[in-house]
Amino acid sequence: MAIKKVSRYKIIKSVFDFFLSFDHEASNHKIIKDVNDFCYKMLNVKYTGLYIDDEGRNEVISLKQDITRMEFNSELTDKIKRDNRIYGGEISKDFTLIPQFEAENRLKYLLVIPLTNKNKHFGFLFFYGTDPQTFNDFSVKVLKLLTKVLSLTIGEKKLYREMEQRVAELITLQNVSNFVNATLDFEKLLDVSLDALVGLIGLRTCSIVLFTDKLFDDIYTRKQNTLIASLDMSKEIVLDLSSGIYKELSRKKKVIAGKVSFDDDLSKIIPLDNIEEGKEIEYIIVPVTRGKELIGSINIFSMDKGHLPILQHSFLESFANQFSVALQNALLYKKQEEMANRDGLTGLYNHAYFQNRLHLLLKQENKHPLTLIIMDIDNFKQVNDRFGHLVGDKVLKELAHLLKHNLREGDLIARYGGEEFAIILPETELKQGEFIAKRLRKLISDNEIVLDNNRSLYITVSIGVAQYNKKWSQEEFIDKADQALYKAKEAGKNRVTLA
């Protein structure tokens, strides 16, 4: 095909016309289309493309969509970034940018001109030709001028986007800071923090990981019971902090970012299903610390190469610090609330909490039938008189421990007062409640309480059981179970009586 020849005068005039009509507000894709059309028509440039290197996030824009999916020669892209100068010449094995594209289209000549804004490199324009005269001195001067204008345009747009991002980050931090002082609710804190992250980043693939052994029980083992929360799910798993990403995070306690192949370990903390094993995942993981101790992390993932938003690590660290403060405040409040609801000796719920919880359950008809057990230790005064109050306390704690480990999830156990204990059984009829009460009575009477000096002690309990009747008030319901308890006492103790 004959090479088009255009006079220099016409080219210079076209350059000025192009600049006058140039739309600085257009998208980068539209800009590259206009540049490609101009270069093809005026300078015989076969293909034009834009490569943006935005702090590690690479974006390729070209009218040839195949290019965006092809691998670039990293050696040349690194050299362009490092030297920040023009590279051009005949394509060879030593000078190549997109080997596959160049071979498929039989391209022979390449010119690469870096994009800079305030002396900072942020990418380059690349031009392909098939004729040695395509990139003569005059053409190169025109393309350099064109690149300079594009550097200013794209650079300003990039700066504006960064400014918008920083403003959004500051607003998010302010909102999180306000929330620190507005809530002491643990679950609500997780929800709002995730909402803030997803709203800012635009990806639902965010999760918050918390090492619950450390947080709630001050257990600092290598393997940690762990809560993983995202907008779409919440689950508990066991994580080994001595391997993988968390080994690095535990050691550095700084933001880590990179790419990793998806595997079974990573699948535990990514809030998505149906990801192919071996698929490359981009990640940013931000430590959440309490003092010098790692207590969790904020995680951001992307499965689309180059699509992970560029967030300032300083912003993410500030976000994590705000979250950590709010988290510790919420946990402190939760512990104080727990202490207020618990009996100090046995760790069971106290009388006040029992009354409040029973009041709520009586209103929740989906929890009916509702059965109440009240039990009393037989001859407990004699235990105190014979063995002393320390042994009496031991008996109460042993009984509490036995009850906690032999009832169903959802049953509520409380120390009702002195040596009396109350158990609320939701969704339980009287007959089933009787069966549970008889099983507990036998477990208690068979349980050996070991004392010092090779001594041991056995205790028995008397139990009253009542099923709620809608005609009764709360006080009447409790009184029915209490009356049944006293009938058991009068009948000889160590037995179960129904109301």
Side-chain angles (χ1 to χ4, degrees), residues 18 207 254 356 366 454:
F18 178 78
S207 65
K254 290 183 179 179
N356 290 335
N366 63 324
N454 295 319

Side-chain angles (χ1 to χ4, degrees), residues 323-334:
F323 173 73
S324 179
V325 170
L327 178 65
Q328 290 176 68
N329 287 341
L331 290 175
L332 181 61
Y333 177 76
K334 191 172 184 178

Side-chain angles (χ1 to χ4, degrees), residues 224-238:
Q224 284 281 310
N225 286 313
T226 303
L227 171 67
I228 299 177
S230 70
L231 287 183
D232 301 317
M233 64 87 182
S234 180
K235 63 181 179 180
E236 293 184 10
I237 63 167
V238 175

Side-chain angles (χ1 to χ4, degrees), residues 1 9 11 38 50 71 75 123 134 141 210 233 244 276 279 289 296 332 375 383 410 434 460 493:
M1 187 178 80
Y9 170 77
I11 291 172
F38 172 82
L50 170 66
E71 189 172 345
E75 188 177 334
T134 299
K141 287 179 181 177
L210 295 173
M233 64 87 182
E276 297 175 13
K279 185 173 180 64
T289 58
L332 181 61
M375 69 172 62
V383 172
E434 180 187 17
T460 62
K493 304 179 181 177

Side-chain angles (χ1 to χ4, degrees), residues 244-279:
I245 288 175
Y246 282 98
K247 180 180 180 181
E248 183 181 356
L249 197 68
S250 296
R251 181 172 56 85
K252 290 184 175 179
K253 297 185 181 65
K254 290 183 179 179
V255 177
I256 58 174
K259 300 173 186 175
V260 67
S261 292
F262 182 77
D263 56 24
D264 288 340
D265 286 339
L266 195 61
S267 68
K268 294 176 181 177
I269 59 173
I270 296 182
L272 282 177
D273 297 323
N274 304 320
I275 305 175
E276 297 175 13
E277 188 169 344
K279 185 173 180 64

Side-chain angles (χ1 to χ4, degrees), residues 144-181:
K144 283 172 67 177
L145 179 61
L146 194 63
T147 304
K148 190 170 184 178
V149 173
L150 291 184
S151 288
L152 291 171
T153 300
I154 297 172
E156 284 178 3
K157 288 167 69 178
K158 178 176 176 290
L159 188 64
Y160 183 74
R161 283 198 308 272
E162 287 177 351
M163 183 179 68
E164 282 187 319
Q165 180 73 24
R166 298 297 86 78
V167 170
E169 288 171 359
L170 286 171
I171 291 171
T172 300
L173 280 180
Q174 183 62 50
N175 290 339
V176 172
S177 179
N178 290 340
F179 189 70
V180 168
N181 300 313

Side-chain angles (χ1 to χ4, degrees), residues 125-154:
L125 282 172
F126 55 93
F127 308 91
Y128 280 110
T130 55
D131 184 83
Q133 290 303 307
T134 299
F135 301 124
N136 58 42
D137 289 345
F138 176 74
S139 294
V140 170
K141 287 179 181 177
V142 172
L143 292 173
K144 283 172 67 177
L145 179 61
L146 194 63
T147 304
K148 190 170 184 178
V149 173
L150 291 184
S151 288
L152 291 171
T153 300
I154 297 172

